[in-house]
Amino acid sequence: MFASMRRYRLQRGSMAELARRVDEDFAGQLTAQPGFVSYEFIDCGFGEFMTMSIFLTLEQAKASRELARRWADENRDDLEFPRLEAAHGEILVGRAAQGMLQESHVGAARKPVAIRRYRVHEGSVAEVMRAIDGVFADRFEAMDGFEAWHVFDCGRDEIVWIDFVRDFAAAEESDERAFRFVSEELRHFGLERMSAARGTLIVSRATSELLEPAHM
């Protein structure tokens, strides 16, 4: 499966109106595309938001990015949100719980989300992924409050790690587990954190394909 992660800053319009249009219009258009697996709209606060979409193939993921560009153009009269950052790549390690298949809509309870981007300075991305898959995956999946997490290779020796949990107590525990794992068990890879963001899940859609584990 292939992921596209994008970060934006809202410069014109309100976050509430943008989220409403995404929930009522764009999310439905995206789910109708061939190969759709999941989509999340994440409010990061201070006028910034992130989106993540997953498709079965690289070509389908690219087509979804074109759909997103066209939709943004169509709504540009009263909503303007330039892109600040993007990452695309194959999900090499991932897990998801049944709860991620339940649609999230504007006004519903929000799930915490953490997004981290790392550069690998020692060894290879494949070796890092094998270590995550073989050691960390089962620990995190067994954590109370676990919803989903994905790690994908976005090129240039960089990886993106994104996780979703049920509530803020689980978010604190997941942060602590991830920090410990990176600093202790992945320290020999010389991981450099390039960026990090926190947010809450506002809108989401997913199909049962998301529940299929991704392994190295």
Side-chain angles (χ1 to χ4, degrees):
M1 294 188 288
F2 291 81
S4 296
M5 184 277 291
R6 294 173 288 270
R7 182 168 64 95
Y8 303 89
R9 177 172 291 126
L10 185 62
Q11 292 188 341
R12 184 169 65 246
S14 72
M15 188 66 72
E17 176 61 17
L18 173 61
R20 183 190 68 79
R21 293 191 194 183
V22 167
D23 195 14
E24 297 178 0
D25 181 25
F26 178 70
Q29 292 188 39
L30 198 65
T31 59
Q33 300 304 301
F36 172 80
V37 176
S38 71
Y39 171 78
E40 290 89 24
F41 177 95
I42 302 155
D43 182 0
C44 299
F46 305 102
E48 292 193 3
F49 67 96
M50 301 184 78
T51 65
M52 180 170 172
S53 57
I54 300 176
F55 281 78
L56 292 176
T57 71
L58 177 60
E59 292 73 18
Q60 291 163 342
K62 288 179 177 178
S64 77
R65 298 200 289 269
E66 177 60 23
L67 173 64
R69 186 195 63 77
R70 290 199 308 271
W71 190 87
D73 287 343
E74 291 167 2
N75 288 271
R76 200 173 299 281
D77 286 348
D78 48 0
L79 292 169
E80 185 175 1
F81 41 93
R83 191 179 69 188
L84 304 178
E85 180 185 11
H88 314 291
E90 184 176 7
I91 295 177
L92 299 179
V93 182
R95 307 286 192 275
Q98 191 75 29
M100 286 299 291
L101 300 187
Q102 183 177 354
E103 293 184 0
S104 294
H105 296 279
V106 172
R110 299 183 171 193
K111 298 175 182 178
V113 186
I115 306 99
R116 309 170 189 89
R117 188 169 182 164
Y118 297 96
R119 175 167 291 147
V120 180
H121 285 288
E122 303 291 338
S124 68
V125 166
E127 290 172 320
V128 172
M129 292 291 187
R130 280 193 290 271
I132 294 172
D133 194 21
V135 178
F136 186 77
D138 291 340
R139 296 180 191 173
F140 192 65
E141 189 174 11
M143 187 187 78
D144 186 40
F146 165 82
E147 290 286 302
W149 69 283
H150 313 284
V151 190
F152 64 91
D153 179 359
C154 55
R156 302 182 302 279
D157 293 322
E158 292 183 9
I159 63 173
V160 170
W161 178 323
I162 181 167
D163 60 66
F164 302 84
V165 292
R166 190 180 309 134
D167 52 41
F168 289 97
E172 290 184 8
E173 183 179 351
S174 69
D175 281 350
E176 165 108 14
R177 289 188 183 210
F179 174 78
R180 234 177 17 245
F181 181 70
V182 169
S183 60
E184 295 175 5
E185 300 186 55
L186 297 182
R187 63 185 182 279
H188 54 288
F189 293 108
L191 294 188
E192 175 190 2
R193 192 168 72 176
M194 308 298 293
S195 63
R198 296 290 299 272
T200 53
L201 183 62
I202 307 296
V203 177
S204 72
R205 306 287 190 273
T207 67
S208 59
E209 282 87 351
L210 186 68
L211 301 181
E212 185 67 28
H215 294 285
M216 268 303 289

